[in-house]
């Protein structure tokens, strides 16, 4: 398969979806947009998974083609039935094959590629995969994983809306949002069993079922993404704190840790020292807290701060004491729990810097201290900060020189590296302020 073919497929997809939007049906438009955006995100997840698996270009293109087409049946399904429930409409996977066949979209692929695409699309929504040849099985597993990663994102977002702003919740819900959890669901999860939707009786049952998806994630990379982005913990936080639920969620986290490694082993760059060390007075003194914070705030009117990589909430707490509304994000659940203890009124979320559950333009200042050198994707981290920040992004990092404290040299970033990352993220203005032991990188957001 060639890149030119994928570009043709992308153009067709855009033109195919466009007529499903109308000028007088907001409900239809919202649901069509939901699946169109989902498709593009799954394509992105598929590209990242292919890169993690070190697939060649041809197979990467084929994988993205599967992602592009996997839900193409959803658009006629919703237009005709006004539901995404296959049980009361049509099987959306088979409907996708029908659409692809009617438009002869796969006609120019060779027989082997066509068969892989068709089978992966057909089976991506099945409860489990049947026996397949190794190549077809590989791609079928990829689309199921990529699809799940994005569905986790959507579920967490909408579960939060249901819990916090139920009047704004727009999804179809066929179960009551009551505290009960079905004993069959609990037992199935504890036994690492897949769960049929017919067993669900409450929204909490659905949450447990979705936590149980970890047993159906094929690639360790995919499971690591689900864990690192905080999806599991976010759903756990929205479940009742009964002994049965604690047992189930503990089992889920134990299984996940065993497959991908304990949180502190996920990356050799992740800083996971004890809270006492993070709040050591000698360490804090190096930051010149008052001078550093004043430099971050100079020239802008600031009412709110998001502390990315918040750790124990040291900097969030300092900004809070200045009278600012604060929130924080970190990949370590233990650190998030500590931050909540130090700043009980703050909102703290388990999430990586590259993908955080905060609204666009929701904080005047996005602040990162000693975390930017740790992230997996520097440009995406800045793009995410730019999405959230109203006025400024401030990054605190140790300079690129030998010091008897701070991260090792091979983890430190040069100023020109940070400037290049900022430029790639569309942040043209970068001011560097050198403090005694650390540097501040200030990026103002263009209005």
């Amino acid at each position: 398969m060639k890149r030119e073919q994928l570009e043709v497929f992308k153009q067709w997809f855009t033109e195919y979806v466009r007529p499903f939007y109308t000028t007088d049906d907001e409900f239809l438009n919202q649901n069509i947009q939901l699946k169109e955006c989902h498709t593009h995100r799954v394509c992105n997840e598929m590209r990242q998974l292919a890169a993690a698996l070190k697939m060649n270009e041809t197979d990467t293109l084929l994988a993205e083609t599967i992602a592009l087409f996997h839900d193409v049946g959803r658009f006629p399904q919703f237009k005709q039935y006004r539901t995404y429930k296959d049980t009361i409409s049509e099987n959306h996977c088979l409907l996708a094959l029908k659409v692809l066949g009617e438009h002869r979209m796969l006609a120019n692929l060779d027989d082997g590629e066509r068969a892989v695409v068709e089978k992966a699309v057909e089976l991506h929504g099945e409860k489990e995969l049947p026996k397949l040849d190794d190549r077809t099985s590989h791609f079928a597993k990829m689309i199921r994983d990529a699809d799940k990663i994005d569905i986790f994102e959507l579920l967490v977002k909408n579960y939060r809306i249901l819990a916090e702003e139920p009047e704004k919740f727009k999804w179809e819900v066929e179960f009551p949002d009551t505290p009960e959890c079905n004993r069959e669901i609990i037992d199935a999860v504890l036994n690492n069993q897949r769960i049929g939707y017919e067993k669900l009786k409450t929204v909490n049952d659905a949450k447990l079922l979705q936590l149980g998806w970890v047993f159906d994630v094929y690639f360790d990379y995919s499971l690591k993404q689900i864990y690192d982005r905080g999806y599991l913990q976010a759903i756990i936080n929205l479940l009742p704190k009964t002994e049965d639920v604690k047992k189930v969620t503990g089992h889920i986290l134990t299984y996940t840790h065993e497959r991908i490694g304990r949180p502190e082993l996920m990356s050799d760059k992740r800083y996971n020292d004890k809270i006492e060390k993070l709040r050591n007075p000698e360490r804090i003194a190096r930051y010149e807290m008052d001078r550093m914070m004043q430099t971050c705030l100079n020239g802008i009117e600031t009412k709110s701060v998001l502390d990315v990589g918040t750790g124990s909430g040291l900097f969030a707490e300092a900004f809070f004491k200045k009278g600012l509304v604060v929130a924080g994000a970190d990949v370590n659940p233990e650190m998030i729990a500590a931050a909540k203890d130090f700043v009980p009124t703050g909102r703290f979320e388990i999430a990586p810097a590259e993908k955080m559950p905060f609204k666009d333009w929701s904080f005047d200042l996005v602040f990162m201290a000693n975390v930017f050198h740790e992230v997996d994707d520097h440009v995406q981290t800045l793009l995410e900060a730019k999405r959230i920040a109203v006025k400024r992004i401030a990054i605190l990092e140790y300079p690129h020189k030998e010091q008897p404290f701070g991260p090792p040299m091979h983890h430190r970033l040069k100023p020109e590296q940070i400037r290049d990352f900022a430029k790639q993220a569309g942040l043209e203005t970068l001011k560097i302020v050198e403090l005694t032991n650390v540097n501040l990188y200030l990026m103002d957001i263009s209005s």
Side-chain angles (χ1 to χ4, degrees):
M1 184 176 169
K2 298 179 180 179
R3 180 160 296 280
E4 292 78 8
Q5 291 174 293
L6 177 59
E7 294 306 317
V8 170
F9 292 156
K10 288 181 177 179
Q11 183 61 36
W12 173 83
F13 179 82
T14 299
E15 294 173 355
Y16 175 73
V17 173
R18 188 179 296 124
F20 287 95
Y21 290 98
T22 70
T23 58
D24 58 357
D25 192 335
E26 183 181 356
F27 179 67
L28 175 64
N29 290 343
Q30 287 175 343
N31 280 276
I32 295 300
Q33 184 182 44
L34 175 72
K35 287 302 176 183
E36 183 179 17
C37 293
H38 167 69
T39 296
H40 290 304
R41 290 193 301 268
V42 173
C43 286
N44 182 54
E45 299 294 351
M46 195 69 132
R47 286 192 298 269
Q48 293 184 51
L49 177 56
L53 297 175
K54 296 180 170 36
M55 294 171 65
N56 62 41
E57 184 179 10
T58 298
D59 283 353
T60 298
L61 294 171
L62 192 62
E64 188 172 352
T65 297
I66 292 167
L68 185 69
F69 289 153
H70 83 287
D71 261 359
V72 77
R74 288 298 198 184
F75 304 104
Q77 179 190 42
F78 200 88
K79 183 175 182 180
Q80 180 175 351
Y81 300 102
R82 298 180 77 81
T83 183
Y84 285 129
K85 299 174 187 173
D86 287 11
T87 53
I88 58 174
S89 57
E90 290 185 60
N91 182 313
H92 75 280
C93 304
L94 299 180
L95 193 52
L97 294 183
K98 181 179 178 182
V99 170
L100 295 174
E102 289 174 348
H103 290 263
R104 294 184 53 79
M105 289 311 301
L106 308 180
N108 291 329
L109 296 181
D110 67 39
D111 290 346
E113 291 172 337
R114 186 184 314 113
V116 167
V117 173
E118 289 177 341
K119 190 57 69 174
V121 170
E122 176 189 349
L123 297 175
H124 84 268
E126 290 297 308
K127 184 177 177 181
E128 55 188 306
L129 289 175
K131 186 171 179 57
L132 301 165
D133 65 86
D134 289 346
R135 181 168 172 78
T136 303
S137 176
H138 182 77
F139 284 98
K141 291 174 180 177
M142 286 184 72
I143 185 57
R144 287 165 71 89
D145 273 16
D147 197 26
K148 278 188 178 68
I149 291 172
D150 189 64
I151 292 173
F152 263 111
E153 165 77 16
L154 291 169
L155 288 170
V156 168
K157 177 181 177 182
N158 280 276
Y159 282 146
R160 282 199 180 106
I161 293 172
L162 181 61
E164 299 169 7
E165 302 176 284
E167 70 281 0
K168 296 182 180 180
F169 187 80
K170 299 185 184 301
W171 278 15
E172 300 173 87
V173 181
E174 54 187 307
F175 315 111
D177 186 18
T178 54
E180 300 84 17
C181 295
N182 183 354
R183 186 75 233 177
E184 281 188 89
I185 305 289
I186 291 171
D187 291 341
V189 175
L190 289 174
N191 287 289
N192 298 11
Q193 295 174 349
R194 294 181 176 91
I195 303 162
Y197 286 95
E198 70 279 359
K199 303 287 187 183
L200 304 184
K201 296 179 181 178
T202 68
V203 171
N204 283 331
D205 287 347
K207 293 172 186 173
L208 290 175
L209 176 145
Q210 282 131 16
L211 287 175
W213 284 352
V214 299
F215 307 125
D216 194 36
V217 173
Y218 296 97
F219 300 99
D220 289 350
Y221 168 87
S222 304
L223 189 57
K224 183 177 184 299
Q225 296 306 302
I226 291 166
Y227 182 89
D228 278 3
R229 298 180 193 183
Y231 300 150
L232 300 181
Q233 191 63 49
I235 294 176
I236 289 170
N237 291 344
L238 293 168
L239 283 165
K241 303 300 185 285
T242 66
E243 289 304 313
D244 280 342
V245 169
K246 288 179 182 178
K247 188 176 180 181
V248 170
T249 56
H251 178 68
I252 291 287
L253 292 176
T254 298
Y255 170 85
T256 303
H257 294 160
E258 287 174 352
R259 273 191 62 181
I260 65 176
R262 298 293 301 179
E264 60 269 26
L265 301 179
M266 286 182 191
S267 166
D268 68 343
K269 295 188 294 182
R270 298 292 187 197
Y271 191 71
N272 268 289
D273 258 314
K274 297 296 183 183
I275 294 168
E276 293 81 4
K277 187 172 181 179
L278 290 175
R279 288 176 168 263
N280 180 284
E282 183 180 344
R283 181 173 184 266
I284 294 172
R286 293 180 203 137
Y287 300 133
E288 302 173 80
M289 295 290 277
D290 288 340
R291 180 186 173 195
M292 182 274 296
M293 287 192 294
Q294 192 56 52
T295 303
C296 289
L297 302 174
N298 277 344
I300 57 172
E301 183 180 349
T302 309
K303 296 180 180 179
S304 58
V305 179
L306 171 62
D307 182 20
V308 180
T310 192
S312 68
L314 173 67
F315 296 97
E317 183 183 17
F319 281 115
F320 174 73
K321 288 179 178 178
K322 281 189 170 291
L324 302 177
V325 174
V326 299
D330 200 285
V331 296
N332 189 329
E334 293 178 6
M335 289 297 170
I336 287 293
K340 289 179 179 178
D341 288 338
F342 285 107
V343 192
T345 60
R347 174 187 171 188
F348 293 95
E349 299 286 351
I350 300 169
E354 295 90 342
K355 197 175 184 68
M356 296 180 284
F358 300 102
K359 295 179 180 178
D360 295 355
W361 309 300
S362 50
F363 293 89
D364 294 322
L365 173 67
V366 173
F367 176 79
M368 307 180 203
N370 298 326
V371 69
F372 192 61
H373 69 275
E374 296 185 354
V375 301
D376 296 322
D377 189 329
H378 298 92
V379 175
Q380 179 55 39
T381 295
L382 288 176
L383 287 171
E384 185 72 346
K386 181 181 174 184
R387 177 184 69 80
I388 295 169
V390 177
K391 297 176 180 177
R392 179 175 289 167
I393 300 167
I395 296 176
L396 180 98
E397 283 288 336
Y398 283 97
H400 192 263
K401 65 180 183 182
E402 293 288 353
Q403 290 175 303
F405 42 74
M409 275 297 293
H410 66 280
H411 285 170
R412 299 190 182 209
L413 296 171
K414 298 176 181 179
E416 53 267 32
Q417 290 177 288
I418 295 178
R419 191 178 297 279
D420 183 57
F421 293 139
K423 189 173 182 180
Q424 291 182 58
L427 295 160
E428 298 294 338
T429 303
L430 173 63
K431 180 181 178 182
I432 303 175
V433 180
E434 295 182 1
L435 304 180
T436 304
N437 297 302
V438 293
N439 289 346
L440 267 176
Y441 299 86
L442 306 178
M443 289 155 269
D444 286 353
I445 308 298
S446 301
S447 56

